[in-house]
Amino acid sequence: MRGNLRRRLGVVAAIGAATTLALTACAGNAAPADEAPELELSDEPVTLSFTWWGNDTRHAITEELIAAFEEEHPNITIEPQYTDWAGYWDKLSTSVAAGDIPDIIQMDEKQLSTYAANGVLMDLGGLSSVLSTGDYPAAVLGTGALDGTQYGVPVGINSYTIIANRDLLDQYGVDLPDDETWTWDDFVDTAAEVAEASGGAIAGTQSWGFEDGGLNNWLRQRDSALYTTDGEVAATEEDLESWWEFLLEATKAGATPAPSATIERESGGLAESFTATNQSAFGPWWSNQVQALRDASGQDLVALRVPSTDGASDGWPYYKPSMFWSASSKTEHPAEVATFLDYLANSEDAADLLLAERGVPANERIRDYITPKLDDVNQTVVGFLDDLAPEVGDAPPATPPGGGAIEAIIDQHTQKVLFGELTPDQAATSFLAELQQALDDAAV
Amino acid sequence: MSALGELRRIKGSTPPKQRNQNRAAFLFLLPWFLGLALVTIGPMAASLGLSFTRYNLLSPPRFNGIDNFVRMLEDERLHTSLGVTFQYVFISVPLQLGLALLLAVALDRGLRGLSFYRSAFYLPSLLGASVAIAMLWRQIFGVDGLVNTVLAWFGIEGQGWISNPDTALGTLMVLNVWTFGSPMVIFLAGLRQIPAMYYEAAAVDGASRRQQFWRITMPLLTPIIFFNLILQLIGAFQSFTQAFIVSGGTGGPVDSTLFYTLYLYQRGFANLDMGYASAMAWLLLVIIAAFTAINFWASKYWVFYDDQD
Amino acid sequence: MTKTDPAVDLAPLTESVVTGLPPEQVRDDRRKNAFRKPVSSLIRHAILIAAALLMLYPVIWMVVSSVRPNDVIFREPGIIFDSFEISNYVDGWNALSYPFNTYLLNSALVVLGSIVGNLVSCSMAAYAFARLDFTGKRFWFAIMLLSIMLPIHVIIVPQYVLFSQLGWVNTFLPLIVPKLLATDAFFIFLMVQFIRGIPRELDEAARIDGAGHPRIFLQIILPLMVPALATVTIFTFIWTWNDFFSQLIYLTKPALYTVPLALNAFQDAQSATDFGEMFAMSVVSLIPIFLIFLFGQRFLIKGIATTGIK
């Protein structure tokens, strides 16, 4: 009968594990922590876990910052947990499933609502006695709020930009265009001109259509948007069709590289991009990537405004928060979490270490404080963002839960359009269906 | 198969029918039983349970019956990924095993510097799963890669092999074949396991080398060939890392390298749809189990075990 | 096609198999082949060297890139040693929170535990499946195979919950303990196949001498399956050394990071990656596996044929 006993043991273990899973998952969704207007710091030693994504430079400066904080608060220990972007989300979701949520979380705009809607993130409003957000412009701060609840403090601000390589433009005798008046057609013409002048040695511009920044700008120029404020899809088939149509036109005009070259570089990330390897005169990027691109390319790169349909840049450019600081709704030490968040958000000592590595600070006081200390490249980025200020409109409505899937959906459809497997209007229909499906799936 | 008859003759009489050895077997299997009960069965059962739920990892799972399985019927990307995976399994596994066997036999003995060659052929397998492989692969099959450079010497204009939907899967098959070192090592060990007495007996009977190879080496290697076949089959069906790294996690271009497990991973972690991913995993289990069962059945006809009577 | 092309003609194959024969016969062969052999082996070397170079091109590219300045790696393709930037190694070694030897040591600990676990537990289970007759053998064997057919991505979340309940997250236990419990069932199957290749007469002889199963296992079977044990060691080493996903999930403290996690910390697709340093450390991390293989293969090819069992 030993066989039976063994089998029974196996079943018991299986049930045990399954129940554990269900139980922890339940625990992970308990009622939100009570608001604690008066936060009391503990005298006992407290350990907080702090997780972020990034590369080795970021890991190094963040660990320095932790050391500086711990010196000021000897009873608080911050336990760092870091990985790259891709591994970060696998790890975070797995640990949430087991109820081990890190106390302080570096959060992305596209994931914020998903995590907030599932009760993972803390309402930071309850920390306001310690965590001050007074130096943030209301519009920027609002990007971290959903339905009036503050789930994240914006870290840096970013803007979509066309990066031009001035050395390459000089080399092929093409003038730097005036980015305050240029249209999409000007952009494609100039790019095609450079490509032709180089005899095919370099591309005019990198292709676009692999993430939502470019699409957001395109939609905003057409007085549309990706989402409504209610979290529905707002973009129409016509909007999307025109976007891919224009990409095809640019490809036909010889402004962008061949699709296969584009796709190949795309999977290589920033380091292998045309811009970073000085193989294209223009490329669409986020402003906080200028520094990394400059380092990789070694040439004179400058950030330009995104072209427009009518040559006027007003109301549609926007500041995107590069990331947020969020906290776990399950933390046992809200006061210490608030103290650390306040340090990250408002401390000049922290800013001295962070500089603009996570984007130009969204906190205006800190931005003014830090700007003179930045290197030339980052100063030009701050200058670019400042110049843009009068033209900037409201931030686009927040990504609804499940919207994190958009990047993969865009990438997949752009590839199909470039390789001629879908026409722009077919792609538009399919794109909207898949995005809607992702949102429906995530509905809680 | 007179040589096999010969073998049986050498081996002498067959061992007597053994009595039931439950007690000894239980002791020898104890660690494995513990692992099964404590580490393996629980998570497997949990994933089976989750396949009948909507589970986004962040909130508790909710039962939704067979919804996930119904959705699988209509999921075009899932069908694409099955197609990609089957192509990959049926082309790259035989190629890789054939090459591994050929080189294992060639590198077994009889030449100087064999340990160097073995290491050289094995080295790529060490790299097979490293993050650096993506860059290395673009250096070879990229628009400006080695393959196109060599083609250019012959005046042939190349293309972006990795980024062309028609050839991208092919480059991953090459990548798999390139790491043939793993099965090769197992073959090498298998070759050394063949008792020399069989060759001696055959030589006494005047068998030529070729006859010895086909009548002794090959039959006695069949258990190892069979093992490698099963191992590579399961591995290829579950193939994930290489496509993940080379395509940057997308399975692109245009889903041409969207392996089944890569799609499963995207659904489970990127779309936070672990219920669906679990359902997909159990479909994969059924597929793999079916192929494995067919192979076990077929093995009766071509695998020779020395302990058979 | 020449007669010596290994891709076409089986003659060299059979030859190399047969040259593994006992010494007296090899001497015999030498005499017969005195004329043909130098030419044939020269051609075989040429072919093997060409093939080795082809196989090694990506590895060589990585080594070359590891001594290039970061900004040159992708701008100037090719594999010529045009610069020698040893600083990638120095900086890479110290680029992360801890010097790289911390990660090497962590990986070594995990690998060592896994190897011991797999060797002991899998060989025991394999002995039972290959040599013992017990109730439900086929059923348990099928269960064993089924347990390796589910992709890790759906197993890892429930498993994480389990280990998290035990308080094992952020220790090496979730990575090592399963190996002690023979969950790498591939290796059981591998060793079953090897044990079945060992003639049963040997067990029988031992049994007649009064040996029980533990003694037969330890004194007859284990010594005869050294190649299989070497294979398991090499494979466990490499799989564990390269395993990224489970180490990513279970280890969150940088002090516990292993080599794959450390290498991954160099890169981030959204920002700049120091490829020179990453390649340099990749080369460093390859050295232990390469050495293990170089020395391990001695045991790999030490089979019955060479241990003189007749």
Side-chain angles (χ1 to χ4, degrees):
Chain A
M1 289 294 100
R2 200 171 275 126
N4 271 339
L5 175 66
R6 249 182 266 126
R7 217 164 304 157
R8 237 178 291 138
L9 280 177
V11 171
V12 170
I15 293 170
T19 343
T20 315
L21 181 75
L23 286 180
T24 8
C26 288
N29 203 36
D34 290 336
E35 290 200 8
E38 280 311 308
L39 294 168
E40 234 166 276
L41 283 167
S42 167
D43 296 329
E44 304 291 309
V46 167
T47 301
L48 302 175
S49 47
F50 171 29
T51 183
W52 71 86
W53 72 83
N55 61 2
D56 54 335
T57 315
R58 178 173 299 168
H59 304 329
I61 61 174
T62 312
E63 291 197 312
E64 265 184 72
L65 175 143
I66 289 172
F69 175 80
E70 287 175 340
E71 203 152 300
E72 273 185 44
H73 302 271
N75 71 321
I76 304 181
T77 308
I78 307 282
E79 206 171 74
Q81 308 180 351
Y82 52 75
T83 75
D84 71 317
W85 167 262
Y88 184 79
W89 301 103
D90 300 350
K91 193 166 177 165
L92 186 61
S93 53
T94 306
S95 57
V96 171
D100 298 340
I101 314 175
D103 296 295
I104 298 127
I105 305 168
Q106 179 175 311
M107 204 15 95
D108 180 63
E109 197 276 328
K110 282 196 279 295
Q111 302 290 341
L112 185 75
S113 61
T114 306
Y115 278 79
N118 285 285
V120 177
L121 304 182
M122 181 197 276
D123 173 5
L124 301 180
L127 305 181
S128 55
S129 61
V130 176
L131 168 61
S132 121
T133 49
D135 295 322
Y136 286 84
V140 175
L141 192 62
T143 57
L146 299 163
D147 293 333
T149 308
Q150 195 77 34
Y151 288 110
V153 179
V155 178
I157 55 167
N158 243 336
S159 181
Y160 206 62
T161 164
I162 299 291
I163 286 182
N165 184 323
R166 261 200 291 229
D167 288 339
L168 287 177
L169 289 176
D170 285 351
Q171 186 183 339
Y172 296 112
V174 176
D175 293 333
L176 188 71
D178 174 8
D179 69 335
E180 289 190 41
T181 57
W182 69 342
T183 63
W184 286 104
D185 291 332
D186 295 338
F187 170 53
V188 167
D189 291 346
T190 317
E193 192 186 336
V194 188
E196 208 182 316
S198 76
I202 64 162
T205 175
Q206 274 186 198
S207 289
W208 52 90
F210 302 99
E211 45 95 66
D212 58 329
L215 179 58
N216 258 314
N217 275 277
W218 183 267
L219 294 171
R220 287 166 66 89
Q221 291 186 8
R222 297 167 61 92
D223 294 322
S224 180
L226 203 43
Y227 305 107
T228 67
T229 47
D230 304 332
E232 302 289 325
V233 178
T236 65
E237 283 189 23
E238 293 77 53
D239 295 332
L240 287 155
E241 188 186 340
S242 67
W243 189 51
W244 278 308
E245 200 68 66
F246 186 71
L247 176 61
L248 284 185
E249 276 172 34
T251 310
K252 244 175 254 151
T256 64
S260 64
T262 294
I263 306 301
E264 181 182 319
R265 297 300 182 116
E266 190 54 34
S267 52
L270 182 145
E272 292 177 62
S273 65
F274 288 96
T275 307
T277 52
N278 301 323
Q279 289 174 9
S280 78
F282 298 100
W285 292 94
W286 288 98
S287 59
N288 65 339
Q289 291 170 311
V290 175
Q291 172 86 63
L293 288 165
R294 278 283 299 239
D295 290 348
S297 102
Q299 294 196 354
D300 185 10
L301 304 184
V302 51
L304 303 179
R305 285 173 178 76
V306 176
S308 62
T309 18
D310 54 5
S313 169
D314 77 83
W316 53 263
Y318 67 99
Y319 292 140
K320 173 195 180 278
S322 59
M323 58 189 76
F324 300 99
W325 300 125
S326 292
S328 158
S329 60
K330 302 294 169 321
T331 183
E332 289 165 16
H333 310 287
E336 285 75 13
V337 166
T339 311
F340 186 61
L341 287 179
D342 188 60
Y343 185 78
L344 287 170
N346 295 313
S347 157
E348 292 181 353
D349 296 342
D352 282 336
L353 292 169
L354 293 175
L355 296 172
E357 200 279 325
R358 281 181 168 87
V360 173
N363 180 324
E364 284 190 327
R365 178 176 57 83
I366 293 293
R367 190 191 320 167
D368 293 342
Y369 166 77
I370 212 71
T371 306
K373 304 192 176 193
L374 297 177
D375 61 12
D376 293 348
V377 176
N378 277 311
Q379 296 219 3
T380 62
V381 175
V382 175
F384 171 75
L385 291 172
D386 283 345
D387 288 351
L388 210 57
E391 300 151 31
V392 164
D394 289 341
T399 304
I406 191 171
E407 218 135 279
I409 302 177
I410 291 186
D411 181 279
Q412 199 190 320
H413 284 85
T414 299
Q415 290 192 10
K416 287 187 178 164
V417 169
L418 284 175
F419 283 111
E421 296 203 358
L422 288 180
T423 62
D425 64 316
Q426 288 166 336
T429 316
S430 156
F431 172 88
L432 290 175
E434 285 191 28
L435 183 59
Q436 189 61 52
Q437 182 69 47
L439 300 189
D440 292 346
D441 285 352
V444 181
Chain B
M1 295 291 259
S2 71
L4 284 185
E6 194 69 15
L7 291 181
R8 296 222 171 92
R9 190 174 57 75
I10 300 164
K11 281 169 60 186
S13 64
T14 57
K17 176 79 186 134
Q18 315 244 317
R19 65 190 186 288
N20 195 300
Q21 295 158 318
N22 277 351
R23 209 182 138 79
F26 180 71
L27 289 175
F28 273 97
L29 286 172
L30 191 61
W32 179 70
F33 277 135
L34 281 175
L36 195 65
L38 301 177
V39 186
T40 312
I41 290 285
M44 279 182 82
S47 78
L48 182 60
L50 288 174
S51 67
F52 298 101
T53 66
R54 172 77 70 80
Y55 181 41
N56 68 2
L57 293 174
L58 310 179
S59 287
R62 275 183 302 150
F63 182 75
N64 72 347
I66 57 165
D67 268 19
N68 290 324
F69 294 95
V70 174
R71 279 165 73 198
M72 278 160 63
L73 292 175
E74 289 161 6
D75 185 348
E76 277 174 34
R77 289 192 84 201
L78 182 133
H79 304 156
T80 309
S81 72
L82 273 176
V84 168
T85 306
F86 274 106
Q87 272 186 56
Y88 180 77
V89 168
F90 288 121
I91 297 175
S92 80
V93 170
L95 280 179
Q96 193 201 28
L97 283 184
L99 200 61
L101 181 58
L102 192 76
L103 275 144
V105 173
L107 296 179
D108 185 30
R109 49 194 110 181
L111 203 63
R112 246 194 253 199
L114 277 183
S115 65
F116 164 76
Y117 292 125
R118 279 187 215 120
S119 306
F121 289 134
Y122 190 61
L123 200 54
S125 316
L126 308 183
L127 265 182
S130 117
V131 280
I133 203 75
M135 282 140 255
L136 298 178
W137 225 237
R138 280 192 284 275
Q139 290 302 313
I140 296 178
F141 289 105
V143 177
D144 305 317
L146 177 71
V147 170
N148 284 351
T149 311
V150 172
L151 286 178
W153 295 342
F154 300 100
I156 303 166
E157 197 185 337
Q159 51 159 323
W161 302 92
I162 292 183
S163 47
N164 182 332
D166 298 327
T167 54
L169 183 59
T171 67
L172 288 182
M173 292 177 185
V174 174
L175 180 55
N176 190 41
V177 174
W178 182 63
T179 58
F180 69 82
S182 307
M184 180 187 82
V185 163
I186 299 176
F187 282 136
L188 275 171
L191 286 172
R192 291 306 169 116
Q193 195 83 344
I194 299 172
M197 59 179 178
Y198 295 160
Y199 292 111
E200 284 161 29
V204 169
D205 286 358
S208 75
R209 287 181 196 143
R210 197 175 295 236
Q211 281 170 326
Q212 290 180 16
F213 177 77
W214 287 111
R215 302 230 166 133
I216 298 176
T217 309
M218 282 308 274
L220 290 177
L221 203 56
T222 50
I224 305 303
I225 297 176
F226 177 62
F227 166 78
N228 260 330
L229 179 66
I230 298 289
L231 173 81
Q232 298 301 328
L233 201 66
I234 297 179
F237 269 117
Q238 291 185 356
S239 187
F240 170 80
T241 313
Q242 293 164 349
F244 178 79
I245 293 173
V246 172
S247 73
T250 62
V254 201
D255 288 349
S256 61
T257 62
L258 186 71
F259 286 135
Y260 192 83
T261 39
L262 181 55
Y263 181 51
L264 178 152
Y265 164 84
Q266 288 182 1
R267 292 301 295 235
F269 283 99
N271 291 20
L272 292 176
D273 202 351
M274 196 47 88
Y276 190 76
S278 301
M280 282 183 67
W282 279 84
L283 174 66
L284 183 67
L285 180 125
V286 169
I287 294 173
I288 297 178
F291 274 91
T292 308
I294 292 172
N295 268 297
F296 265 90
W297 171 78
S299 76
K300 281 189 288 194
Y301 299 98
W302 65 275
V303 178
F304 170 78
Y305 289 104
D306 205 19
D307 61 358
Q308 266 167 358
D309 305 298
Chain C
M1 290 288 168
T2 59
K3 209 174 171 341
T4 42
D5 186 341
V8 182
D9 195 338
L10 280 168
L13 304 188
T14 45
E15 193 173 24
S16 69
V17 171
V18 174
T19 43
L21 284 175
E24 52 284 355
Q25 215 170 329
V26 173
R27 245 175 275 125
D28 231 28
D29 293 342
R30 289 234 178 96
R31 235 173 289 130
K32 264 188 261 164
N33 293 333
F35 173 71
R36 211 178 74 185
K37 189 147 186 180
V39 183
S40 131
S41 81
L42 204 67
I43 295 171
R44 284 173 66 187
H45 275 297
I47 292 169
L48 286 172
I49 287 174
L53 279 179
L54 192 68
M55 294 290 293
L56 288 179
Y57 174 87
V59 183
I60 298 169
W61 183 84
M62 191 167 89
V63 174
V64 171
S65 297
S66 75
V67 292
R68 279 180 160 176
N70 201 32
D71 51 353
V72 178
I73 294 174
F74 293 109
R75 274 187 262 155
E76 317 266 335
I79 53 163
I80 303 144
F81 276 98
D82 45 11
S83 60
F84 196 77
E85 196 84 9
I86 198 71
S87 68
N88 280 336
Y89 283 83
V90 180
D91 297 343
W93 191 273
N94 295 308
L96 305 173
S97 324
Y98 297 87
F100 208 77
N101 53 297
T102 310
Y103 311 121
L104 289 170
L105 185 71
N106 287 340
S107 271
L109 282 175
V110 175
V111 162
L112 199 69
S114 304
I115 289 177
V116 172
N118 275 342
L119 284 182
V120 174
S121 63
C122 293
S123 63
M124 283 170 63
Y127 180 77
F129 279 122
R131 283 297 201 249
L132 301 178
D133 189 23
F134 57 95
T135 318
K137 180 164 157 176
R138 290 167 65 95
F139 169 77
W140 292 113
F141 194 77
I143 292 286
M144 181 197 79
L145 283 177
L146 279 177
S147 73
I148 49 179
M149 291 180 191
L150 268 190
I152 182 184
H153 304 105
V154 296
I155 294 294
I156 194 122
V157 172
Q159 224 166 49
Y160 182 93
V161 173
L162 185 74
F163 289 133
S164 156
Q165 299 294 307
L166 294 171
W168 285 5
V169 171
N170 258 328
T171 69
F172 295 142
L173 292 176
L175 303 170
I176 296 175
V177 170
K179 317 276 164 144
L180 288 168
L181 301 178
T183 50
D184 271 358
F186 271 124
F187 296 125
I188 303 181
F189 186 25
L190 171 73
M191 291 200 262
V192 166
Q193 298 300 88
F194 270 91
I195 294 176
R196 294 189 70 178
I198 299 173
R200 264 192 197 259
E201 290 78 8
L202 299 168
D203 306 28
E204 289 307 317
R207 196 189 312 283
I208 291 163
D209 288 349
H213 287 296
R215 252 184 75 196
I216 296 177
F217 172 63
L218 288 173
Q219 294 184 353
I220 309 284
I221 301 294
L222 278 188
L224 286 181
M225 55 188 284
V226 170
L229 297 176
T231 311
V232 169
T233 305
I234 290 175
F235 274 68
T236 308
F237 194 108
I238 289 148
W239 285 357
T240 316
W241 193 263
N242 284 335
D243 172 32
F244 173 70
F245 197 65
S246 53
Q247 296 177 7
L248 168 82
I249 298 289
Y250 288 119
L251 304 176
T252 53
K253 270 192 199 147
L256 295 177
Y257 276 13
T258 52
V259 169
L261 299 183
L263 288 179
N264 202 53
F266 278 102
Q267 57 134 30
D268 183 70
Q270 295 208 325
S271 48
T273 299
D274 207 325
F275 285 102
E277 292 178 10
M278 191 182 96
F279 287 139
M281 289 304 106
S282 297
V283 171
V284 167
S285 73
L286 269 184
I287 292 171
I289 352 184
F290 187 64
L291 289 179
I292 282 283
F293 183 74
L294 206 60
F295 294 107
Q297 60 169 301
R298 215 157 52 83
F299 298 97
L300 195 70
I301 55 175
K302 191 169 147 196
I304 295 181
T306 44
T307 46
I309 300 271
K310 290 187 182 180

